[in-house]
Structure formats: C-alpha cells, structure tokens
Amino acid sequence: MRPHDYDTDVAIIGYGPSGVAAANALGSLGVSATAFERESDIYGRARAVTVNDWTMRLFQQVGLDERVKAHMDPTVALRWVTYDGTELLRLPFPPGRLGHATAYSIYQPAMEQTLRDGAARFGDRIRVEYGVEVTDVAQDTDGVTVTTRDLATGESAMTRARYALACYGGEPATRERLGVNLLGDTLNVRWVVIDGKVKRWWPDRHILTFWSDKERPVVDIALGRDNHRWEIPLKPGETDADFATHEDVWPLLESLGVSRDDIDIHGHAFYTHHIRSAESWRVGERVFLLGDAAHLMPPWAGSGMQSGIRDAFNIAWKLAGVLGGSLPASILDTYEAERRPNVDFYTEVSVQLGRIIKQELSEEEQAALATQSEELPPLLWPPFYVAGWFTGAAAPDSTVGKMIPQPRAATVNGLIGRLDDLLGDGFVVLGDNVDPKTVLSAGEKAGWDALGARYLTVRAADQGTETSDEIVDIDGTLIGWLRERGARVVAVRPDRFVAAADPTGLSVPA
C-alpha cells in the first residue's frame, strides 16, 4: 500500500457514543469514515442517563433529534431530599433556549441504536467493522495506518486513513500503544447501579432526585421508556459479593420506599468513579482522543457521555474543513483548546454536585447555596467556550464563544421552522436588522466568502421581508440575545458558536 492510497478519510477506533456521534457528524458533512469496534452488539446496560438541549441540538444537526426523542422523556426538575423526606432544594428546569427541552431522560441502548441506524444512512461513506480489535496505530506525515485483527478468524488487516479518532473508552490497550497517560484520581468508593422496569407510578418519579446522606447518598432517576435507575454507594466493609443477586439489592431500594409492586429489577452492576484526563488529547498530528479516551468524570452532572458527543461534533466540522481545503490544518489545534476547558468545567460541576449529595458542604457553603437557589446553576448555563477559534476575547458578557439561541424562524416566503434547519450546515453571518455585508470590510467579507458563508439579515416578527437574504426571528430570542450583549453582526460557525462579532472584530479567526 502506497502512503497516499487512502481507504477512508477518518478511522474511528471504538463505536460507542463518541464514535457513533463522530460517524454521523462526519457522514453528514460528506467525509468518509471507517469505524472499528470489538463488540458485535451494543452494550445492553444503560450507563448515561441524560442529554440536554446542547446535545440534542447536535443530534438535530444530523437529522436525528426527533428519532432519539422517541425513546426519551423531558426532565422537568431535580431535587435534593433526605431519608426522612425533607426536601433540601428543588430546581425546576427553565425552558430551553436552544430549540429543545433543557434536559431529557434517556435509555442509552435505545439512543445508541438510533445513532447507529442514523450512520447507516450514509451507505459506503460510513463503514463499520464489528468484531475486530485494533492492534496498531501508526502515523506518518501523510496519514494513519490502523492495523486490526478479526476476533473470529484471527486475520489481520490494515486500513489507511488521513486522520484517526480514538473513541475507545476504557479499553486500555490502544491507549497504551499510543503512549497516552490518563492523569487524575480514581475515587475510593464502589457503587452499585440498579436498573428496573417500572410497574406503576410513585410520587414524583419523574423528578431527578438526589438522596442526600453522608453514608448512603443515592441518585434516583427516571430513564427513557419505562426504565428507572438508582446509583448507590457501598459502605466501608461492603463488597460486590454482598450484593451478588437481585434479592441482595432489594433492601437498598426498600430503604428509599421502593417496593416490588413498583418495579422489577432487570439488572445491576458495579462501578468506580474516576476524575481523569489525558495529558494530551492529540497524538502526533493526525490522531485525536475523544470521550472516555480523553477524559473521565463522576456522573453527578450527567455530562460524561455528552462531553464525548460534543468532542465528536467539534472535531468533525474542523476535519471536514481541512479535508475539503477550506480551512488550514492549524484549526485542528483548537479542538483541545476548546474542549478541554469545557470538560474541566463540567467535571468541577460534577464534583461539587457530589459534595452536596454526600452532605460534605460546610455550614457556610450550605448558606451560600441557599442564597443562590434563585440563580441559574452552572449545570444549566448556556454552552460556552473560553478559548479557541474566535476573533476577540470570549468574555462573559460577549457573544463570542457562545452558542446562539435557536428560536422558531421563518424564511421570506413564510416557511416556518427551527433556526438551524433554515440556516443550513455551514458558516453564516447574521445581522440584527441590518445587511451584514454592509458592516463587513472588504477583507472581512473576502475571508468569510472563502468559507462559503451565507449572509442573512435577521428581522423581528413585526417586520416585513423582501429578499431571500432575510430571516425572521419569530420568538425574538436571537435578536434579544444579540442586543443584551451589544452585538449587531455575528459570524456563526457550523456548530452554532459565535466566531466573531462586530464589537471585537469580524475577521475570520487566525
């Protein structure tokens, strides 16, 4: 095989949530990919329990949001309660501003199957090889050679790709071959995770509940479909063997008021929580780490799996631009620059939520929490990046580095839909009641022209339109958001984050 003979654009190592998200994102952008997965079937146990409106907007980007919602239920609130029934805090979820409900309860196996079916839409552009293990990943200046072994036949094969995405999660062999170390800690507590089929409704079953207790804190959460989940720590001296059968775990549920009339247990497993991150999310020039291959966090913020999915969509549009020749290879440096601080943020949120659940807060911290209960908690903050492919500083009160809201919108001829569905897949420059082309300098416009950007004037619903270069913000949320932050014109990336705005400069980011 000659170095420049490529079998595929991108090799995807591992086909869990991060890998299948990458396949959908790449496929939708016209990029070919081949995925390699050891297991022939989806893991049958639910692990992740939620997705929020940011992640759902990504699914919308590849046309799968309505399909995955068929197996999900909106989450309306979360609360902290004690075993005696005292409610410490209840947090209703606000209406989503990204075009979807703020959060959804999921059943992960069903969601993953929908994503796999979605990737199959792209035919030969996205190929998946099941039942193979990756035995070597070698890169050179021109590409990556992935060597695999068929687990059934023992036969080896090589696949040549331009880039590779390592999405292999907890499987250590590939990580070791790449020479990647995960830095951080493994928490010294073992957890039993119990999944049940709901037989009848109990009070507030649909509210995500944290049972706060120093010895036995519990996560109590409705999953999608008719499933429910409890995550319960083992006490010192308890081992997995103490809860070997379903009968052994029933006393744990009964202490929460759950009876055999409420559910049938259909599975339980044991997990240990990690707080770890790879020392680098890029190996050489052509291999990138995503999801659990790059980072591990406790489950309290429900952001582990979601962070991997966001990794996939972030790197996908950048790879598509590089492979298509519209973006320089240097933009790939911004993958880790954007994603690592965001993952660190959610990891810290998760750690702090865990402290609340385990009643580890001091009296001063508890008092501060009570005074902040009316504010939007960090877990529900709108998506943002603190650094990356932007022009100007991503300051808290600016539009730069933030994801734009997604209102209901309308075209000039009256077609009504969600904003993203009307904007298309690429770059777009939006002007608040102004033609953005009249605000851009000649050099700025030439830069966005080279990226194939659209230019649209955003009108309010009480205004009229005349040309196809106008769009109506029916809900007023996008216009209101721009004016709150003092922006008249913004350049928006394919992932709907603002790359540049007129207060800090509208040139294409360096």
Side-chain angles (χ1 to χ4, degrees):
M1 181 183 295
R2 299 191 306 274
H4 295 291
D5 288 338
Y6 298 103
D7 302 297
T8 190
D9 290 327
V10 180
I12 300 174
I13 304 169
Y15 208 52
S18 301
V20 72
N24 276 282
L26 293 168
S28 70
L29 295 170
V31 177
S32 64
T34 300
F36 306 99
E37 171 57 46
R38 287 179 56 93
E39 304 300 328
S40 299
D41 298 316
I42 292 172
Y43 182 63
R45 293 290 309 281
R47 290 159 292 175
V49 298
T50 186
V51 298
N52 70 2
D53 48 358
W54 178 3
T55 304
M56 191 60 72
R57 194 172 187 178
L58 299 178
F59 293 155
Q60 178 191 345
Q61 185 177 320
V62 294
L64 295 177
D65 54 312
E66 296 305 320
R67 296 192 198 180
V68 297
K69 284 181 184 178
H71 304 292
M72 299 180 182
D73 300 303
T75 303
V76 298
L78 59 85
R79 62 176 181 162
W80 287 263
V81 301
T82 59
Y83 277 88
D84 64 6
T86 301
E87 187 169 293
L88 304 176
L89 181 66
R90 180 179 291 228
L91 179 64
F93 282 9
R97 299 187 68 184
L98 303 183
H100 302 276
T102 302
Y104 298 84
S105 298
I106 74 169
Y107 187 64
Q108 186 178 339
M111 187 194 78
E112 282 195 52
Q113 186 61 59
T114 302
L115 295 177
R116 288 191 177 187
D117 293 343
R121 297 171 297 169
F122 302 111
D124 291 340
R125 185 184 305 166
I126 303 296
R127 297 190 300 113
V128 185
E129 296 185 15
Y130 294 105
V132 300
E133 66 174 355
V134 173
T135 58
D136 191 37
V137 180
Q139 61 179 308
D140 50 57
T141 57
D142 299 307
V144 182
T145 301
V146 178
T147 304
T148 57
R149 182 176 69 89
D150 189 297
L151 295 176
T153 67
E155 295 181 358
S156 294
M158 290 192 298
T159 301
R160 182 73 173 165
R162 288 172 169 83
Y163 292 93
L165 305 180
C167 311
Y168 46 79
E171 194 274 304
T174 303
R175 182 184 292 118
E176 292 170 359
R177 293 188 187 97
L178 292 172
V180 175
N181 294 316
L182 279 179
L183 307 180
D185 298 309
T186 295
L187 303 184
N188 190 29
V189 177
R190 191 74 164 158
W191 291 73
V192 58
V193 178
I194 307 168
D195 289 337
K197 282 286 187 182
V198 176
K199 297 164 68 175
R200 68 178 186 181
W201 186 271
W202 57 88
D204 288 331
R205 179 206 163 239
H206 62 308
I207 296 177
L208 199 170
T209 298
F210 295 121
W211 295 82
S212 294
D213 186 75
K214 292 183 178 180
E215 287 193 341
R216 193 83 90 181
V218 177
V219 180
D220 177 341
I221 182 170
L223 304 183
R225 307 175 87 167
D226 54 350
N227 297 279
H228 206 92
R229 153 79 58 82
W230 293 266
E231 300 179 8
I232 305 173
L234 305 189
K235 293 181 179 180
E238 294 178 336
T239 68
D240 297 5
D242 295 321
F243 303 96
T245 69
H246 293 175
E247 284 300 316
D248 295 331
V249 302
W250 262 115
L252 299 176
L253 296 181
E254 289 167 346
S255 69
L256 304 173
V258 180
S259 77
R260 298 168 193 256
D261 294 328
D262 298 322
I263 67 156
D264 285 326
I265 296 176
H266 65 72
H268 72 283
F270 300 90
Y271 295 97
T272 303
H273 297 165
H274 306 277
I275 306 174
R276 294 182 178 273
S277 185
E279 52 192 346
S280 174
W281 296 10
R282 187 176 188 176
V283 181
E285 293 297 315
R286 295 181 175 270
V287 179
F288 299 86
L289 276 61
L290 283 67
D292 285 355
H295 45 78
L296 298 165
M297 70 177 73
W300 309 115
S303 297
M305 178 196 71
Q306 293 193 87
S307 292
I309 292 171
R310 295 164 191 166
D311 294 345
F313 278 83
N314 184 286
I315 192 65
W317 72 264
K318 296 171 181 176
L319 282 173
V322 172
L323 292 168
S326 63
L327 290 170
S330 58
I331 196 174
L332 301 178
D333 295 334
T334 68
Y335 163 65
E336 184 174 346
E338 291 176 359
R339 291 299 307 141
R340 183 189 284 273
N342 190 261
V343 170
D344 289 346
F345 168 79
Y346 283 105
T347 301
E348 179 61 21
V349 169
S350 182
V351 169
Q352 295 306 322
L353 285 174
R355 294 183 65 222
I356 298 172
I357 296 161
K358 291 178 279 188
Q359 293 192 352
E360 294 177 349
L361 299 184
S362 66
E363 290 185 4
E364 292 79 7
E365 289 172 318
Q366 292 181 40
L369 180 66
T371 62
Q372 296 171 6
S373 60
E374 298 300 320
E375 301 176 8
L376 194 65
L379 178 62
L380 301 179
W381 285 359
F384 68 94
Y385 289 133
V386 297
W389 196 74
F390 309 114
T391 297
D397 58 350
S398 76
T399 59
V400 174
K402 312 297 193 307
M403 179 179 275
I404 64 172
Q406 181 178 203
R408 289 179 305 141
T411 61
V412 65
N413 59 1
L415 177 64
I416 296 176
R418 292 171 299 185
L419 179 67
D420 292 0
D421 297 333
L422 303 181
L423 292 183
D425 296 329
F427 293 90
V428 60
V429 184
L430 302 174
D432 174 11
N433 204 33
V434 64
D435 181 351
K437 296 190 294 291
T438 66
V439 178
L440 295 168
S441 69
E444 290 168 344
K445 184 176 181 300
W448 293 110
D449 284 347
L451 294 177
R454 296 180 67 194
Y455 302 90
L456 294 174
T457 302
V458 183
R459 303 291 190 194
D462 60 358
Q463 295 178 298
T465 59
E466 295 180 359
T467 74
S468 59
D469 293 329
E470 296 171 280
I471 196 165
V472 179
D473 177 1
I474 296 176
D475 299 332
T477 53
L478 175 57
I479 290 175
W481 184 79
L482 292 172
R483 294 176 182 176
E484 287 171 4
R485 288 158 179 77
R488 195 178 180 204
V489 174
V490 292
V492 182
R493 313 185 324 182
D495 60 356
R496 305 313 182 208
F497 283 84
V498 175
D502 57 309
T504 51
L506 285 165
S507 60
V508 172

